[in-house]
Amino acid sequence: MTALPTVVPAEDWEKARAELLTAEKEATRALDRLAAQRRRLPMVRFGEYTFESPSGPVTLLELFGDQQQLALYQFMHTGPDHFCPGCTNFTNQVTDLEGLARDGMAWATVSDMPLDQMSGYWKQQGWTVPFASSAGTTFSADCGAGGGFLLNVFLRDGDTVYRTYSTGQRGVDRLMFVPNILDLAPYGRQEEWEDSPAGWPQHPTYG
């Protein structure tokens, strides 16, 4: 039988919830401070790259469309017959690109996968997220992705592109809808790395 949280009277629950709320508000204020610090990061001029897209060659600058800011996700390339489950899970949760555009930001995904492989996978998954292949370029290496996944943020000033931010690993994880909703649930994500009470259901992250 799966373990359950302790059952307590309503007043005890309210007290425990109030204590957690205090900690949550402290974390929120800390995140606000980080966001303010992030907005003050300097930027670095980035090189020119040409990717292959379903409509033909496309430059990094062209991925901006008519927006000044661009969020660009580097989808991990794990071979001709395998697709990164983490990147797949992440891409499944990329939504409301129109909302991003209304606030001046474009979104695209690139990968060192060949274009045909990306196109087939995008069709299989039913994704409408804009994509291009960075295969044959040094873009992934120049970003420091190291063969992994990475989210970059770019800003353009006219025709000049600057890199303003990048994040990977848990920095990408915190952007995902499903894991963050599960973090609010009593059983959490049910992954074995989590600090959960004894008896809580847990399994390997990609099991």
Side-chain angles (χ1 to χ4, degrees), residues 2-196:
T2 304
L4 299 171
T6 303
V7 178
V8 297
E11 57 270 22
D12 290 351
W13 184 89
E14 292 286 355
K15 180 181 179 181
R17 178 66 189 98
E19 291 174 353
L20 177 60
L21 182 59
T22 297
E24 287 177 333
K25 287 186 174 182
E26 290 174 354
T28 297
R29 286 190 287 269
L31 288 173
D32 288 343
R33 290 192 295 271
L34 282 173
Q37 184 177 352
R38 193 177 297 116
R39 289 191 294 271
R40 289 164 173 79
L41 275 176
M43 60 185 184
V44 60
R45 186 166 181 168
F46 222 66
E48 298 179 4
Y49 300 88
T50 299
F51 311 119
E52 291 297 323
S53 79
S55 59
V58 60
T59 65
L60 176 60
L61 179 64
E62 288 171 334
L63 291 178
F64 282 80
D66 58 0
Q67 306 297 340
Q68 189 176 11
Q69 302 172 104
L70 169 69
L72 189 61
Y73 183 69
Q74 184 80 30
F75 195 113
M76 188 185 300
H77 177 33
T78 53
D81 302 311
H82 185 264
F83 299 93
C84 171
C87 293
T88 298
N89 190 22
F90 179 80
T91 306
N92 279 330
Q93 297 177 59
V94 175
T95 61
D96 197 15
L97 299 187
E98 291 182 359
L100 274 181
R102 284 193 296 271
D103 285 310
M105 175 169 275
W107 178 283
T109 298
V110 298
S111 176
D112 285 342
M113 284 187 282
L115 181 60
D116 287 348
Q117 184 180 357
M118 290 189 77
S119 297
Y121 198 51
W122 254 243
K123 182 177 180 180
Q124 175 186 322
Q125 296 295 320
W127 291 334
T128 58
V129 177
F131 69 93
S133 171
S134 54
T137 75
T138 60
F139 179 78
S140 177
D142 294 345
C143 288
F149 61 92
L150 196 71
L151 179 67
N152 283 288
V153 179
F154 297 99
L155 178 75
R156 69 179 178 93
D157 181 17
D159 291 340
T160 305
V161 176
Y162 299 90
R163 188 188 195 192
T164 64
Y165 182 71
S166 69
T167 188
Q169 305 301 322
R170 297 297 300 277
V172 171
D173 174 270
R174 71 178 183 83
L175 306 176
M176 298 169 65
F177 175 76
V178 172
N180 283 285
I181 293 298
L182 291 177
D183 283 343
L184 307 179
Y187 291 136
R189 306 183 191 190
Q190 302 179 42
E191 296 177 7
E192 60 187 6
W193 61 267
E194 291 180 288
D195 180 3
S196 295

